[in-house]
Amino acid sequence: MRLSRQRRMVLDLLWAEKSHLSARDIFEKLNDLGRNIGHTSVYQNLEALQSAGVIECLDRASGRLYGYRSDPHSHITCLDSGAIEDLDVALPAELLEQIERSTGYRIESYTLNLTGRRPSGSSSDQPVDLRG
């Protein structure tokens, strides 16, 4: 994949933000930064980067959100704010084996999508790593 100037702008923004953004958010943030890029270019470049496995795309009821990571990971979504955080979690081998026995599938990879609420007054800007 060729890394055009516009693709580089989109990637740089996603890497700097380290959050999940809509195409509209990306368009607005880039233009606020003085990067002249059109809506169509943003959409086309996001689709190309996602198709190439460089970034992730989350389909939500409110639309697609794009993230800076392409490695396997899970997500936790705040029910109050809608914020999505990356979550690195490893399920216990015993649980994976139990799932395999009960379904007949051999688990090769997995992602979890969790929802919840933070206790009031707490916050975090770092991905959570729960790998034992």
Side-chain angles (χ1 to χ4, degrees):
M1 161 179 262
R2 191 173 73 82
L3 189 59
S4 67
R5 181 183 65 82
Q6 292 173 327
R7 282 190 188 137
R8 182 56 152 183
M9 286 191 305
V10 170
L11 278 176
D12 285 345
L13 179 70
L14 286 173
W15 288 334
E17 292 286 323
K18 291 194 176 4
S19 62
H20 300 84
L21 302 171
S22 69
R24 182 169 197 71
D25 292 335
I26 293 166
F27 166 78
E28 290 174 356
K29 286 178 181 285
L30 286 173
N31 281 282
D32 288 348
L33 291 169
R35 309 274 202 260
N36 191 14
I37 187 170
H39 278 105
T40 304
S41 292
V42 169
Y43 284 103
Q44 289 172 341
N45 284 295
L46 286 168
E47 290 303 311
L49 290 165
Q50 188 265 326
S51 293
V54 177
I55 62 172
E56 72 174 331
C57 176
L58 303 175
D59 286 312
R60 297 289 193 238
S62 59
R64 287 183 160 187
L65 297 176
Y66 298 89
Y68 69 100
R69 291 180 65 178
S70 62
D71 61 317
H73 63 281
S74 298
H75 299 99
I76 187 162
T77 303
C78 178
L79 291 170
D80 294 323
S81 69
I84 301 170
E85 291 186 35
D86 292 329
L87 179 67
D88 294 305
V89 61
L91 294 178
E94 301 81 31
L95 178 58
L96 292 173
E97 291 166 7
Q98 178 185 358
I99 294 169
E100 288 178 341
R101 282 192 307 275
S102 66
T103 64
Y105 283 84
R106 186 172 60 86
I107 305 298
E108 294 181 10
S109 68
Y110 58 89
T111 60
L112 302 173
N113 291 303
L114 306 168
T115 57
R117 289 185 172 82
R118 284 191 185 281
S120 61
S122 67
S123 68
S124 171
D125 342 352
Q126 299 300 316
V128 180
D129 189 342
L130 298 177
R131 291 173 286 181

